[in-house]
Amino acid sequence: MKQLSATLEDYLGVVLRFQREKRFARVSDIASALGVAKSAVTAALQSLGSKALINYQPYEPVTLTPEGEQQAEEILLRHRIILDFLEDVLAIQPKEAETIACEMEHAIHAAAPERFVCFLAFIRTRSGRGQTWLKEFQHFTKSGAKGRTCRECIREYLRAARNEMGEAQA
């Protein structure tokens, strides 16, 4: 898999979405979807074309190469995994979760989404038992527990973590 910038990953993902919808993408479609100028799209497509991830010729429809399609699918899957974790486990509202997932997907190490999937699968295999503690956690994030708010617990955790860091350095 070729290393791409976050921006080029976004372009690859958008091309895949359009390719699935109508078998190709156009510069104007991509510009509109990403809210950027056509000239920026052209530069990005030239870069992706030079990496053999898309089939690009000026004024022609854009399609993914097999390697580009595979890489784009991995990018979109990574996004979906992070989004599911944020929404299903952390109970973050969909719009906010989408924004966070877009930022995280480019910065997260490959091992983390694998663990997210493992954790999500684990929860689903627990039927009632897994859902009970997950619902308790989600309730805790909204209402706190035992007379303490989530914010108070966070401050307590951070205080303890800082103390442990200070002891480790000593």
Side-chain angles (χ1 to χ4, degrees):
M1 188 158 98
K2 293 186 170 75
Q3 288 296 105
L4 299 176
S5 68
T7 301
L8 289 181
E9 283 187 352
D10 287 342
Y11 279 93
L12 211 54
V14 167
V15 172
L16 177 61
R17 287 185 186 117
F18 280 112
Q19 186 168 301
R20 286 178 175 170
E21 285 176 23
K22 57 185 188 179
R23 297 187 358 204
F24 60 86
R26 294 204 180 277
V27 170
S28 58
D29 296 331
I30 298 166
S32 178
L34 293 173
V36 298
K38 290 180 185 178
S39 59
V41 174
T42 299
L45 295 179
Q46 288 171 341
S47 178
L48 290 169
S50 71
K51 297 175 186 328
L53 296 173
I54 63 167
N55 301 304
Y56 172 71
Q57 294 295 319
Y59 310 107
E60 294 293 321
V62 178
T63 58
L64 296 164
T65 64
E67 182 182 354
E69 187 169 0
Q70 179 185 359
Q71 191 157 348
E73 286 174 353
E74 288 177 20
I75 292 164
L76 293 182
L77 180 60
R78 184 174 62 221
H79 178 86
R80 178 82 245 164
I81 291 165
I82 294 167
L83 187 63
D84 285 349
F85 185 82
L86 294 170
E87 290 179 355
D88 298 348
V89 177
L90 301 183
I92 296 175
Q93 293 300 310
K95 192 172 184 178
E96 185 179 3
E98 178 65 34
T99 301
I100 295 167
C102 285
E103 293 172 4
M104 285 179 66
E105 72 187 48
H106 304 296
I108 199 165
H109 188 273
E114 288 178 16
R115 288 297 177 135
F116 287 170
V117 169
C118 186
F119 186 74
L120 290 164
F122 173 77
I123 290 170
R124 290 184 180 135
T125 64
R126 294 291 174 240
S127 53
R129 293 183 314 200
Q131 293 302 316
T132 300
W133 68 262
L134 184 57
K135 284 184 186 349
E136 288 175 13
F137 170 73
Q138 291 169 349
H139 176 74
F140 172 74
T141 62
K142 291 179 181 143
S143 308
K146 297 181 182 177
R148 295 180 354 202
T149 66
C150 190
R151 286 273 172 231
E152 290 169 329
C153 292
I154 290 169
R155 280 193 293 274
E156 183 180 305
Y157 172 86
L158 293 173
R159 191 172 23 256
R162 286 185 184 107
N163 287 340
E164 287 177 18
M165 288 173 27
E167 291 171 5
Q169 292 174 353

